[in-house]
């Protein structure tokens, strides 16, 4: 009985370790954060074309599944390519590519297979959605991970394109992307990623410096980074007004979110503890994106009968 108990415990730990490794390999929080704008883009396209969601349920599932698999493939390939950096940085030392739980060949194969499968699924939606997914994948894997991340402090700007196309994937699965709504959603995510990523780079300054990753705080210092954060957040202020068709409630809440972020940015010029400020900016940015994209869905929900 004791031996069986030990085997059971060992199996439980093995499953737990595998799930933890997969979560790390797929960067689960990042993956989920990128799926939400796809969902929001799809939902808004249904809303603005006066279509029925239930009539497009199969299309919705294909869009979400396909885009999620493509993004997972990109994140896995990023893990494969960045193994040397992950070995140095404290927060990434437990990734399976570093611990050796998964071989690098297996990780690369997984990333390629997931990417191909994801694009095959998306081809059953629309060509435009597939093209936007490819733009996101190519920008993240090639232009960001393999080319600019280690060389240029503009890597964040380049990498932000990949996250910003996510609502366009959802929208164009239903209708053409030549519409003010998906364009503004693209701009919001594109701009949002700069202060969000800069805050992370400040928090992990020593790790990025040791790994020789050309993040803005490492190359140009905290003072420059704080000014950049303020400028990018200020650029968000007018954007909700271009989505006036979503109603007054949306504009008011979105504007309050933006003003709150601006105030927090200004406080950074007076705070002596840069790390505390960076943590505040990071937490605000995470909640900002979640609230914003849940809000665009909530304000367009049909009224209860």
């Amino acid at each position: 009985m004791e031996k069986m108990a030990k085997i059971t415990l060992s199996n439980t730990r093995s499953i737990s370790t595998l799930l933890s490794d997969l979560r790390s390999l797929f960067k689960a929080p990042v993956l989920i954060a990128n799926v939400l704008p796809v969902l929001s883009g799809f939902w808004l396209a249904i809303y603005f074309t006066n279509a029925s969601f239930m009539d497009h349920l199969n299309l919705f599932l294909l869009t979400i599944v396909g885009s999620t698999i493509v993004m997972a493939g990109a994140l896995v390939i990023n893990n494969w390519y960045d193994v040397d950096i992950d070995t140095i940085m404290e927060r990434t030392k437990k990734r399976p590519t570093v611990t050796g739980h998964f071989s690098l060949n297996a990780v690369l194969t997984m990333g390629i297979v997931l990417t191909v499968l994801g694009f095959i699924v998306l081809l059953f939606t629309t060509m435009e959605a597939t093209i936007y997914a490819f733009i996101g994948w190519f920008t993240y894997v090639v232009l960001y991970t393999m080319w600019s991340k280690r060389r240029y402090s503009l890597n964040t700007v380049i990498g932000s394109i990949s996250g910003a196309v996510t609502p366009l994937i959802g929208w164009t699965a239903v209708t053409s992307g030549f519409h003010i709504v998906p364009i503004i959603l693209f701009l919001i995510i594109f701009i949002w990623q700069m202060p969000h990523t800069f805050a992370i780079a400040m928090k992990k300054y020593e790790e990025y410096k040791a790994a020789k990753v050309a993040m803005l705080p490492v190359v140009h210092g905290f003072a420059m980074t704080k000014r950049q954060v303020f400028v990018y957040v200020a650029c968000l202020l007018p954007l909700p007004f271009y989505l006036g068709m979503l109603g007054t409630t949306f504009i008011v809440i979105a504007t309050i979110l933006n003003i709150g972020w601006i105030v927090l940015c200004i406080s950074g010029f007076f705070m002596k503890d840069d790390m505390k400020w960076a943590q505040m900016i990071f937490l605000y940015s995470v909640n900002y994106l979640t609230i914003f994209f849940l809000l665009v869905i909530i304000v367009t929900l049909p009224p209860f009968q």
Side-chain angles (χ1 to χ4, degrees):
M1 291 292 292
E2 184 178 348
K3 185 177 181 180
M4 290 180 64
K6 288 182 178 179
I7 292 173
T8 301
L9 182 60
S10 176
N11 289 338
T12 301
R13 286 176 177 171
S14 297
I15 294 172
S16 176
T17 300
L18 176 61
L19 292 175
S20 177
D21 284 342
L22 290 174
R23 182 179 183 276
S24 179
L25 193 64
F26 294 137
K27 299 184 181 181
V30 176
L31 184 59
I32 293 170
N34 279 279
V35 172
L36 179 57
V38 177
L39 188 157
S40 299
F42 187 96
W43 175 263
L44 288 176
I46 292 291
Y47 175 80
F48 281 101
T49 57
N50 295 313
S52 165
F53 180 81
M54 293 309 298
D55 289 345
H56 290 75
L57 182 58
N58 290 338
L59 180 61
F60 171 75
L61 293 175
L62 287 169
T63 304
I64 294 298
V65 171
S67 59
T68 301
I69 296 174
V70 168
M71 290 185 285
L75 292 167
V76 169
I77 293 174
N78 172 269
N79 268 334
W80 165 78
Y81 191 84
D82 278 352
V83 64
D84 57 331
I85 295 176
D86 292 343
T87 302
I88 298 172
M89 298 185 66
E90 195 63 37
R91 71 187 181 94
T92 55
K93 283 184 176 180
K94 293 184 179 180
R95 287 180 179 169
T97 46
V98 177
T99 60
H101 292 172
F102 292 169
S103 72
L104 291 180
N105 285 338
V107 171
L108 177 59
T109 301
M110 185 187 303
I112 293 172
V113 169
L114 286 171
T115 298
V116 173
L117 285 176
F119 281 122
I120 289 173
V121 174
L122 283 175
L123 284 171
F124 286 95
T125 60
T126 66
M127 183 55 68
E128 193 173 354
T130 308
I131 289 171
Y132 280 121
F134 176 77
I135 291 172
W137 182 93
F138 183 81
T139 302
Y140 183 75
V141 172
V142 179
L143 299 184
Y144 171 70
T145 300
M146 297 181 178
W147 176 58
S148 65
K149 182 175 181 179
R150 302 162 191 247
R151 295 180 177 88
Y152 310 109
S153 59
L154 285 173
N155 57 20
T156 303
V157 177
I158 295 169
S160 293
I161 296 172
S162 61
V165 299
T166 49
L168 283 164
I169 297 171
W171 180 282
T172 56
V174 178
T175 187
S176 170
F178 292 100
H179 191 285
I180 188 65
V181 171
I183 292 171
I184 294 300
L185 294 181
F186 171 90
L187 290 174
I188 287 171
I189 299 182
F190 178 79
I191 295 169
W192 168 87
Q193 285 179 98
M194 253 65 82
H196 174 74
T197 307
F198 290 159
I200 295 173
M202 287 180 67
K203 288 174 57 184
K204 303 300 179 181
Y205 171 83
E206 293 297 340
E207 295 182 35
Y208 280 117
K209 184 177 179 181
K212 298 181 180 179
V213 179
M215 301 303 289
L216 185 67
V218 175
V219 178
H220 296 290
F222 284 3
M224 169 66 81
T225 303
K226 285 184 175 183
R227 291 195 295 271
Q228 291 279 334
V229 168
F230 174 81
V231 169
Y232 280 116
V233 172
C235 288
L236 289 171
L237 283 171
L239 295 183
F241 295 93
Y242 288 95
L243 299 175
M245 65 286 287
L246 294 179
T248 303
T249 300
F250 167 80
I251 294 176
V252 169
I253 295 176
T255 301
I256 290 172
L257 284 172
N258 287 335
I259 292 173
W261 206 353
I262 281 286
V263 171
L264 191 56
C265 290
I266 294 173
S267 72
F269 297 118
F270 303 97
M271 287 182 63
K272 294 182 179 180
D273 191 339
D274 290 331
M275 292 303 174
K276 182 179 179 180
W277 180 81
Q279 175 67 6
M280 291 166 61
I281 291 292
F282 170 74
L283 291 176
Y284 195 97
S285 67
V286 171
N287 287 288
Y288 177 96
L289 193 71
T290 304
I291 293 170
F292 184 92
F293 278 97
L294 287 177
L295 181 63
V296 300
I297 294 175
I298 291 170
V299 297
T300 53
L301 286 172
F304 292 104
Q305 299 298 324

